[in-house]
Every structure is written in C-alpha cells, then in structure tokens.
Amino acid sequence: MITSLAYNVATTTIAETVTEEIKTVNFWDSSVWGFINIVAVLLLSMLVANMIKRSFKVLKYSLVPTSVLGGIILLIISSVYEVFTDTPIFNTEFFGSNGMATLETITFHALALGFIASTFKSSGGKMSKKRATEVFNTGVTTVSTYLIQAIAGLGITMIAALIVTDFFSAAGILLPFGFGQGTGQAMNYGNLYETEHGFVNGKSFGLSIAALGFLCASVGGVIHLNILKKRNKIKLTYADDSTAKAENVEGDNEIPMQGSMDKLTVQLAFVVSAYFLTYLLIWGLGELLPGMRSLIYGFNFLIGVFAATLVKVVVDKLRIKKIINRQYINDFLMTRVSNFFFDLMVVAGIAAINLSTLKSYWGILLILGVSGFLVTYIYNRIIAKTLFKEYEQEQFLMMYGMLTGTASTGVILLREIDGEFKTPAADNMVYQNFPAIAMGFPMMLLATLAPTKPVLTLSLVVAYFVVLNLILFRSKIFNRNKKNKK
C-alpha cells in the first residue's frame, strides 16, 4: 500500500513537472491581448484626434501634431479613471495589468526604430561650400540650443532643490532631452535618474517636459506665424495634404511594389534587422561594462543609427560588386516607416505620464516649460536673423519646431510658409544630424554627470556653450577682428 501510494505521488509530481514545462497558451488570457489592446488604443486615439482636429477650425490651424493630441486624449481619460479607481487605466487586466510599463517600452523602442528608418534614407549628392556651411551651422545650432536649454533647466532646478525638500537638483538637465530630443530621450534619461540616482517619478517628469515642449512648439509657432501674417511678411498656406508621386514609391531599378515580397515588408525587414544588430551590440557592451549598462541601453537610438549605417554600407558594397542588382531601400517608404514609429513614440510617451505622481512638481514643471520656450525662441531668432538671412523665417520655424518638439513638428511649421520646400531649410534639418550627433555626444555624457556633480556639470555646459557659439558665429567674430586691425 505504501509503495503504491509513493508511486502515485511520484507519478503525480512528474506529471505536474511536465505540465509546468510545457504550458499551453490560453488565447483568452489578458497576457495575450494586453499588448495588442494597447497598440490598438494608441492608433485609435490618433484616428479620433485626427477627426477632432479636422472638425474644429481652431485645432486644424493650431499646428498641434495629431499624435500629441491623441496622447493628450488618452492622458485625460487615464487620469479621470485613476481619480475614481486609484489605478491607471492602462494597468487594468484589459491591458495586461502592467500597461504603463508597456507604454514606456513602446516609447523606448519606437525612438530607436524611427531613427534607424531615417538613417536608411539616401544622403543625397554633393553640396556646394555654402550649403555645407549652412548645414554645419544648423548642426551647431541644434547642439548649442540643447546647451542653453540645459543651462536654464539645471539652473532652475538647482535653485528649486534649495527650496523644495528632497527635490532632485539635476532634474532640469531633462529640459534639452524633453524639448530638444523629444519623448523617447526624455523618458530614457528620466528612467536613468530614477533607477540609478533615486529621482522619484523621473520618467513621468521627463515625459511631462516633452509634452510641454510639444505645446510650446504648437502654441509658440502659431503665435509667431500670425504675427508675421499681420505684418504682411508671409502668406500662410496651411499645407495639410501632400500627394506622393509614383516615382517616389517606385524609382528606377527598384524592386516592384508588389513582388514576391511586398516592398513595405522589405523596408521593415531592414529596419528590424538593424535593430536586432543594435541589441547584439548593446548586449555585448553591457556585458563588457556592467556598471554602465543603464547608460548603454539608454543610447539604443544612437547605437541603432550606427548599426543602420553599417547595414547600409554593406548593402551599397554588394550593389557595387553586382551581387545585388536592384535597389531595395526606398526613401519614400522609409520616411513613412520612420514617421509611424515617431508618431507611436509620441502618443505612447504622453499616455505614459502619470499626473498623480507629479502633483508636487507642477510649479517647477511650468517654470521649466516657460523658460525652455523663451530661451529656445529668442536664441533661434537671433541665429536665423544673423546667419540665415536669405531664408530667415523658414530656418527659424524649422529649428524652433524641431527643438521644442520633434523633427516632424519642425516640418509642420515650415510647411505653413514653404509648402513645397523651395528653401534649403528642410534639407538643413535632415543633413544637420551628422554634425549634431558628433557635437552632441559630450552633452549626453555631461547629463550622466549631473546627478552627482550638478555644479561642475553646469560649469562645463556653460563652457561648451561658449565654445560652440564661437564656432557658430566665427564668420562674424573673426571678420570683425580683421576689419578692426585694418
């Protein structure tokens, strides 16, 4: 009897172990549908936002990006739901019980995927010396604007830390990431400060700054446009629709739109393959430098640009050697892929803000938002007026929109007065990424120093800002010195 009982117990234990090892997926579980439900709601919110924007003239001409409006709609719904239930709506079982973390994950990945898709686009032909100078100056302007935003932000929060108990003094360094680089980077660095340096609700703080940046881009851009209109300096086009030319979708020697593999599928395959390579690189670096793992993974977008460049170089070499005879990468479709990921990043990032955790920070956030708007607006007006006289307003609107929102926000503002992109402003925005990444890297390293040594960081940021402005205004400064010597 005892032997039989022992046998039954052993058999039951083995059966349970086998069952545990080969669990079946129940397709009705929330874990199966949670992610899909979140993505569906994000995309649905943009559709609703687009309908609302087209239905109301004020919103239609407000220049608020649809993705931002969609994110705000979800943020309001989530906040109201949390007031009555004490639980964010995205953390309910319907969204997989941990939807807020999923939103942050989407924001994190969409940032890198958008940059990778942008990297795959062709870089164009040779430039004249004048155009190369303008592109270089645009890149320097981008980084120097990050720096002046960092100076304003860090100065404000260092003062706030002396007044508000236990406030994170380096929080202001998130201003250039929220305004200058958008939702993804603001969340990345907010998360770094939260996990590594104890900044409570750092992610929501960074995302809130990014949301304020979008509002500054839209509201400030509209005000500037209307001032110019009243002074009869410009004629607004309110360009809202564009037509894709057939040659953009299917150029010479390109693979067909619908071959054995759909052309859009090919573009996505390149993007995701580059991101897979990105993961291998950051995983390897994380294993080699475990103490810097958070920082390395936070640079996923930058390493993604490097990985995409490698893939692009390999593909180009294969075409030169005639191993590949057709053009597989299409600029028009890559732009669509990039814009999709950036739209998804923005709506997910805003929806991921937890307003209830920021109730004690609202005063500081508003001060940071106003300060970010003022320094960005004034500084870029001075640069556009001084260095880009031939297309001053176009350059200013493009830079202001990009440095308070994203590149797409800059394009939206630019299209209102340059709907056909006749000025070089749009090209400046594209090609400035190369000098901006090179010169902006020290800024990212300084941001990791800020939590432990805010005073030293502020000093270094000011010094770097002075150096970049000497480079930016070199023609004015050194020509003036030459004239004085004569």
Side-chain angles (χ1 to χ4, degrees), residues 1 100 218 222 224 271 274 414 443 455:
M1 179 69 70
M100 295 297 279
S218 305
V222 169
H224 182 81
V271 171
L414 175 61
M443 171 68 195
V455 176

Short mmCIF file of all heavy atoms in Angstrom, two decimals, residues 1 100 218 222 224 271 274 414 443 455:
data_model
loop_
_atom_site.label_atom_id
_atom_site.label_comp_id
_atom_site.label_asym_id
_atom_site.label_seq_id
_atom_site.Cartn_x
_atom_site.Cartn_y
_atom_site.Cartn_z
N MET A 1 0.83 -1.20 0.00
CA MET A 1 0.00 0.00 0.00
C MET A 1 0.87 1.26 0.00
O MET A 1 0.63 2.20 -0.73
CB MET A 1 -0.92 -0.02 1.22
CG MET A 1 -1.82 1.20 1.35
SD MET A 1 -3.09 1.27 0.06
CE MET A 1 -4.14 -0.09 0.59
N MET A 100 1.28 50.50 -18.16
CA MET A 100 2.11 51.71 -18.10
C MET A 100 3.56 51.36 -18.47
O MET A 100 4.23 52.11 -19.18
CB MET A 100 2.04 52.33 -16.71
CG MET A 100 0.67 52.86 -16.32
SD MET A 100 0.09 54.22 -17.37
CE MET A 100 0.96 55.60 -16.63
N SER A 218 3.71 74.14 -30.70
CA SER A 218 2.45 74.42 -31.39
C SER A 218 1.95 75.83 -31.12
O SER A 218 1.70 76.61 -32.04
CB SER A 218 1.39 73.40 -30.96
OG SER A 218 1.85 72.08 -31.17
N VAL A 222 2.26 78.98 -33.75
CA VAL A 222 1.05 79.65 -34.26
C VAL A 222 1.11 81.15 -34.01
O VAL A 222 0.78 81.96 -34.88
CB VAL A 222 -0.22 79.04 -33.61
CG1 VAL A 222 -1.44 79.89 -33.93
CG2 VAL A 222 -0.44 77.63 -34.11
N HIS A 224 3.77 83.03 -33.61
CA HIS A 224 4.78 83.63 -34.48
C HIS A 224 4.26 83.76 -35.91
O HIS A 224 4.43 84.81 -36.56
CB HIS A 224 6.05 82.78 -34.47
CG HIS A 224 7.17 83.34 -35.29
ND1 HIS A 224 7.99 84.34 -34.83
CD2 HIS A 224 7.58 83.06 -36.55
CE1 HIS A 224 8.87 84.66 -35.76
NE2 HIS A 224 8.64 83.89 -36.82
N VAL A 271 14.85 47.58 -41.29
CA VAL A 271 14.82 48.34 -40.03
C VAL A 271 14.94 47.40 -38.84
O VAL A 271 15.75 47.63 -37.93
CB VAL A 271 13.51 49.16 -39.94
CG1 VAL A 271 13.36 49.78 -38.55
CG2 VAL A 271 13.50 50.26 -41.00
N ALA A 274 18.39 45.78 -38.53
CA ALA A 274 19.36 46.72 -37.95
C ALA A 274 19.16 46.85 -36.45
O ALA A 274 20.13 46.99 -35.69
CB ALA A 274 19.24 48.07 -38.63
N LEU A 414 7.31 74.58 -40.83
CA LEU A 414 7.95 75.03 -42.07
C LEU A 414 6.98 75.01 -43.24
O LEU A 414 6.96 75.92 -44.07
CB LEU A 414 9.17 74.15 -42.37
CG LEU A 414 9.91 74.41 -43.69
CD1 LEU A 414 10.46 75.83 -43.73
CD2 LEU A 414 11.03 73.39 -43.88
N MET A 443 27.35 66.28 -24.64
CA MET A 443 26.19 66.71 -23.86
C MET A 443 25.53 65.52 -23.17
O MET A 443 25.11 65.59 -22.01
CB MET A 443 25.19 67.40 -24.80
CG MET A 443 23.84 67.70 -24.20
SD MET A 443 23.92 68.97 -22.93
CE MET A 443 22.32 68.73 -22.16
N VAL A 455 26.90 71.21 -9.98
CA VAL A 455 27.59 72.48 -10.15
C VAL A 455 28.68 72.37 -11.21
O VAL A 455 28.81 73.22 -12.10
CB VAL A 455 28.20 72.95 -8.81
CG1 VAL A 455 29.01 74.24 -9.02
CG2 VAL A 455 27.11 73.18 -7.76
#
